[in-house]
Amino acid sequence: MTLVTKFAARDLGPAARVAGFMTHLRDNGLRLGVGETGIALDALTHVNAINPQDARRALKSVFTGCAEEAAQFDGLFNSFWMNGGRVKTRVTATATPSQSQNVHSSREASEEASSGTGDISAPDGGDGEVESDGEGKLIATEVTNLFKKDLRDLVRPEDIAEAEKIALRLGAALRDRRSRRRKAARKGDQIHFRKVMRQSLATGGEPFALPKRHRPDRTLRITAICDVSGSMTVYSRIFLAFLAGLMRADTRADAYLFHTRLVRITEALRDKDALRALARLSLLAEGFAGGSKIADSLNTFAGTYGRRFVDNRTVVMILSDGYDTESPDGISDALVRLKKRGCKIIWLNPLKGWDGYAPTAQAMAGALPHLDLFRAANTLGELAALETDLARL
Amino acid sequence: MTWTTLQTAMADQGYIASGDLAMALHLSLSLGRPLLLEGAAGVGKTEVARVLAAVQDTQLIRLQCYEGLDAAQAIYEWNYQRQLLAIRAASEDGETGKAVEARIFSDEFLLERPLLKAIRQDKAPVLLIDEIDRADEEFEAYLLEILSEFQVTIPEMGTITATTRPMVILTANGTRDLSDALRRRCLYAHVPYPDLETELCILVTRYPDITDRLCAQIVGFVQVLRKQELEKKPGIAEMLDFAAALMGLGVADLTDDPAVLQATLTTLLKTHTDRDAIPTEITQRLVGKAA
């Protein structure tokens, strides 16, 4: 039996199928235009398109544009062209969580009930806070929250518009004199030979004026890492609005979320429609408002994305309260690793705004020596006030 | 030429290309589109261009990108010093202004940089734009124009259109995100670290007189080493250096002398933390695992 997909008889032929495949890819998040369809059809004429392997390789080089897409592509190709000869794929139902033996219910486990941890009689799976005696203090929760929280409830479009303005101002405040390229400027430090020549033609080859050039200022890039664990829920609204605004104001900014895992949300937040961006974010932010593993997440960041996107022109902005579920020893190491890349590190801690706050949480104490700036920020206004501090970095 | 013949031709030149890569190169040649290669440092991205130039029997023109690279370094520049001298000399000789101007803005005074050079060749060369992610976004935008039009406008001379279309290979190792526009213009291939068989093949191709046992040990060891938590994972070039070092020292078996093996790790581990992370005991354990 062949694995190749059987297409319906009324199908319009290869070109239409490739177009269908394009739609399939677009549905799965690859950004492809009409142009690519043309190139793909062209490419298929240059290879033995009957051979699935050749076709897969040819289409892969045309349709993918980065490592993530390349890794994703084989699966997408197989699901469209090689679905085992079936005409249509069936969606397999997910297993429903087992119900406790003490509870007899004719009710089907519905959405919320089935997506939480544990079972009906013990929502935490028996070992979480529900079962233990509460001590009534603020702690980082250890349980990964599996509910998908809809971030649209948290953030309003007006906030984003305001945050966008603030992010623009912050970006402008971050200047760096590091460029090696030189540009024409009246008060430059080097002679602009090209201009000298051009202008000296008017005076018979005698260079009268000496135009100068200098190194222009370069903006720093902001990379924001936002903690969305349970203890940060109250502040998430402001921070997420800020991130969304930042992404829209500055095309080079980069954003990440972490709770128990680190998620890159740059792509999601770049969506032109602010609300849709948040909807996409909600899908990514599974585990929102659960526990937080700051050290783990920062280490992951330093080892993966940090290597690619953090350099001496980057300001890493960490938005977190410093309450870590796990041992916080790693935080210091992670920050050292980041620091080695020559970046600036800013930590914005909402709790710092409290009266009598001291960075006693172990995580904060370990992180302090590596920070270029440690500030409070729990409203958009306070974020805006950072402008002067950033200019001095 | 099909992609398999290209793959064989490259193997003859000593480059073992994966199917995906060979196909991408083949399409890039037949469609005349630039090819973007991404992958970690040391997996042989730059080498692809060199080998391709050898296979096509043509010239390789290389543009190394760096931060602050501008049009004057990448496309063309006037030789200002010579122009100044020429103007002075001309006034002594009593040459007319028109003649001087025509002369000092002619080919004679033009310094060709790689991009201009690449489109003025008689035989289509291979143009390698290395580490494009190091250049600034402004340069990337300029590059887009050249890659789509294959022509350069010099205000003093007019537009220079390509005599032949160079085969363009861009490499990147992810220092920053490339723009979507650039990615869309190019075909794409991701070059991963080679798997065991490919790497064995590479080592044997480069050092034909290596013994099978040592070859298997070296490749096995490097493959295991790449799975460790390292800041900088050893690439293919490092693996080849390692093999050369071992052969030069006359080591026939990795398990022979732990001290020598530990010393030769300098060819594989290039940072202080990585050296500290792999002490002798771990090296021995990894050798045991690889064998």
Side-chain angles (χ1 to χ4, degrees):
Chain A
M1 193 191 84
T2 170
L3 284 170
V4 178
T5 308
K6 289 198 182 85
F7 286 92
R10 61 178 182 280
D11 191 68
L12 295 171
R17 283 178 205 169
V18 172
F21 182 50
M22 294 284 289
T23 318
H24 172 66
L25 292 179
R26 284 195 199 112
D27 288 345
N28 283 287
L30 271 64
R31 275 168 300 179
L32 300 167
V34 184
E36 275 85 357
T37 319
I39 303 168
L41 289 171
D42 201 3
L44 287 175
T45 60
H46 288 277
V47 299
N48 178 18
I50 306 298
N51 180 342
Q53 279 303 311
D54 282 16
R56 181 184 63 76
R57 287 186 168 132
L59 292 178
K60 189 175 183 179
S61 70
V62 174
F63 286 147
T64 59
C66 62
E68 289 81 30
E69 285 173 9
Q72 203 186 352
F73 186 83
D74 287 353
L76 292 176
F77 182 88
N78 287 344
S79 68
F80 189 84
W81 299 103
M82 317 279 281
N83 69 3
R86 266 169 299 170
V87 176
K88 200 179 151 202
T89 44
R90 273 194 316 172
V91 182
T92 45
T94 47
T96 47
S98 63
Q99 293 197 351
S100 165
Q101 286 159 347
N102 312 336
V103 180
H104 298 282
S105 170
S106 58
R107 182 174 65 95
E108 293 275 310
S110 67
E111 242 182 89
E112 278 195 327
S114 59
S115 58
T117 53
D119 47 28
I120 288 174
S121 60
D124 262 349
D127 52 4
E129 282 169 291
V130 174
E131 294 295 286
S132 65
D133 296 319
E135 282 175 79
K137 62 178 181 184
L138 188 58
I139 52 158
T141 50
E142 208 162 313
V143 183
T144 311
N145 190 339
L146 292 179
F147 281 103
K148 287 182 185 163
K149 198 155 219 158
D150 195 338
L151 297 176
R152 282 172 296 187
D153 297 344
L154 282 172
V155 187
R156 292 171 305 147
E158 303 91 84
D159 289 342
I160 296 181
E162 200 191 332
E164 208 170 322
K165 280 187 213 132
I166 294 169
L168 261 180
R169 297 226 313 270
L170 286 187
L174 291 165
R175 296 284 165 188
D176 187 24
R177 277 166 214 278
R178 278 295 191 94
S179 176
R180 257 182 267 167
R181 176 203 297 253
R182 288 171 193 274
K183 280 190 171 164
R186 193 165 301 156
K187 288 183 182 170
D189 54 351
Q190 252 193 13
I191 295 172
H192 196 322
F193 268 111
R194 196 187 170 95
K195 269 196 154 174
V196 172
M197 278 307 297
R198 212 60 182 120
Q199 292 184 359
S200 70
L201 284 180
T203 51
E206 294 292 347
F208 278 116
L210 281 184
K212 298 280 185 66
R213 51 187 200 167
H214 79 143
R215 298 180 162 173
D217 288 353
R218 278 299 160 85
T219 34
L220 289 176
R221 194 171 54 226
I222 300 181
T223 295
I225 308 176
C226 183
D227 185 346
V228 288
S229 59
S231 51
M232 287 283 289
T233 318
V234 205
Y235 309 104
S236 298
R237 190 183 129 199
I238 294 111
F239 286 159
L240 286 173
F242 174 67
L243 288 190
L246 183 70
M247 285 299 114
R248 296 157 69 77
D250 182 354
T251 48
R252 300 182 312 154
D254 218 1
Y256 303 84
L257 282 187
F258 72 87
H259 28 84
T260 47
R261 281 181 301 124
L262 182 80
V263 191
R264 182 159 190 240
I265 53 171
T266 312
E267 292 299 320
L269 284 180
R270 282 271 151 76
D271 206 309
K272 284 201 184 69
D273 182 341
L275 268 183
R276 195 170 57 196
L278 289 169
R280 288 177 66 176
L281 188 58
S282 310
L283 291 177
L284 288 173
E286 193 177 314
F288 190 85
S292 62
K293 293 183 183 164
I294 303 179
D296 259 16
S297 305
L298 287 183
N299 253 318
T300 318
F301 177 75
T304 54
Y305 299 110
R307 280 197 189 165
R308 292 169 56 195
F309 301 123
V310 175
D311 55 21
N312 55 355
R313 276 197 195 160
T314 315
V315 174
V316 178
M317 188 182 270
I318 301 169
L319 307 159
S320 169
D321 56 5
Y323 284 116
D324 201 336
T325 323
E326 307 266 298
S327 146
D329 302 334
I331 289 191
S332 174
D333 292 345
L335 291 180
V336 168
R337 277 175 80 187
L338 269 181
K339 202 78 216 219
K340 264 195 191 159
R341 303 200 61 85
C343 61
K344 301 262 179 359
I345 303 178
I346 304 177
W347 193 305
L348 301 179
N349 189 335
L351 304 186
K352 195 163 181 260
W354 292 8
D355 280 342
Y357 169 79
T360 43
Q362 273 179 330
M364 265 341 291
L368 268 185
H370 309 291
L371 303 182
D372 293 284
L373 190 69
F374 180 48
R375 281 279 177 284
N378 37 26
T379 61
L380 282 177
E382 282 184 50
L383 280 170
L386 282 173
E387 198 180 331
T388 46
D389 289 322
L390 292 185
R392 255 181 276 125
L393 263 184
Chain B
M1 191 191 259
T2 67
W3 69 274
T4 37
T5 50
L6 180 67
Q7 197 175 23
T8 334
M10 288 178 76
D12 291 343
Q13 294 288 334
Y15 193 95
I16 312 295
S18 68
D20 282 4
L21 179 59
M23 174 60 89
L25 281 167
H26 167 64
L27 282 180
S28 167
L29 283 170
S30 38
L31 298 178
R33 296 184 80 86
L35 173 66
L36 173 65
L37 295 179
E38 263 190 334
V43 290
K45 299 187 293 296
T46 309
E47 194 69 4
V48 170
R50 197 191 59 71
V51 170
L52 193 67
V55 168
Q56 300 271 319
D57 189 25
T58 180
Q59 200 186 350
L60 171 69
I61 296 175
R62 177 174 173 167
L63 173 67
Q64 171 69 49
C65 295
Y66 53 86
E67 200 180 322
L69 177 73
D70 58 3
Q73 293 304 314
I75 304 162
Y76 74 93
E77 177 82 305
W78 290 106
N79 193 340
Y80 300 115
Q81 283 85 346
R82 277 194 68 193
Q83 282 180 328
L84 274 172
L85 280 174
I87 293 170
R88 270 305 170 82
S91 67
E92 307 266 302
D93 299 347
E95 206 176 340
T96 63
K98 276 242 154 67
V100 176
E101 193 177 335
R103 194 154 67 84
I104 64 169
F105 289 120
S106 64
D107 258 355
E108 194 187 343
F109 292 88
L110 188 68
L111 297 174
E112 278 182 354
R113 305 286 194 214
L115 289 183
L116 181 61
K117 198 172 163 195
I119 64 168
R120 294 178 91 190
Q121 301 295 317
D122 293 331
K123 185 172 184 191
V126 174
L127 171 63
L128 169 66
I129 300 173
D130 217 355
E131 307 192 354
I132 173 70
D133 46 349
R134 284 188 197 280
D136 316 89
E137 277 110 22
E138 296 92 324
F139 180 72
E140 203 179 299
Y142 198 93
L143 195 62
L144 279 178
E145 191 191 320
I146 294 192
L147 290 185
S148 50
E149 305 291 327
F150 285 104
Q151 62 179 32
V152 170
T153 302
I154 301 175
E156 295 87 353
M157 287 177 78
T159 304
I160 296 178
T161 325
T163 45
T164 49
R165 276 195 153 203
M167 147 90 209
V168 186
I169 293 184
L170 300 107
T171 74
N173 41 23
T175 334
R176 67 177 168 83
D177 266 345
L178 295 174
S179 72
D180 278 353
L182 184 71
R183 286 185 189 279
R184 284 201 51 208
R185 289 275 191 315
C186 304
L187 297 180
Y188 175 87
H190 183 254
V191 190
Y193 284 113
D195 54 17
L196 190 71
E197 287 79 38
T198 318
E199 198 161 18
L200 279 172
C201 207
I202 293 170
L203 184 54
V204 172
T205 319
R206 284 305 172 92
Y207 299 111
D209 46 349
I210 196 168
T211 60
D212 286 354
R213 179 169 167 72
L214 184 61
C215 182
Q217 277 183 331
I218 290 174
V219 173
F221 176 67
V222 174
Q223 292 264 345
V224 189
L225 196 62
R226 279 196 198 118
K227 295 204 181 87
Q228 306 299 307
E229 283 270 322
L230 294 177
E231 272 186 10
K232 164 83 190 72
K233 293 187 175 143
I236 296 172
E238 274 87 7
M239 185 274 292
L240 291 172
D241 283 350
F242 180 56
L246 289 172
M247 284 161 64
L249 290 168
V251 178
D253 192 315
L254 280 195
T255 46
D256 276 354
D257 190 346
V260 171
L261 177 63
Q262 195 64 22
T264 46
L265 283 188
T266 43
T267 54
L268 291 176
L269 304 172
K270 304 285 178 70
T271 73
H272 181 65
T273 19
D274 284 354
R275 278 314 294 267
D276 287 351
I278 313 286
T280 316
E281 302 81 60
I282 296 191
T283 315
Q284 289 309 309
R285 190 167 54 77
L286 293 181
V287 171
K289 214 187 209 176

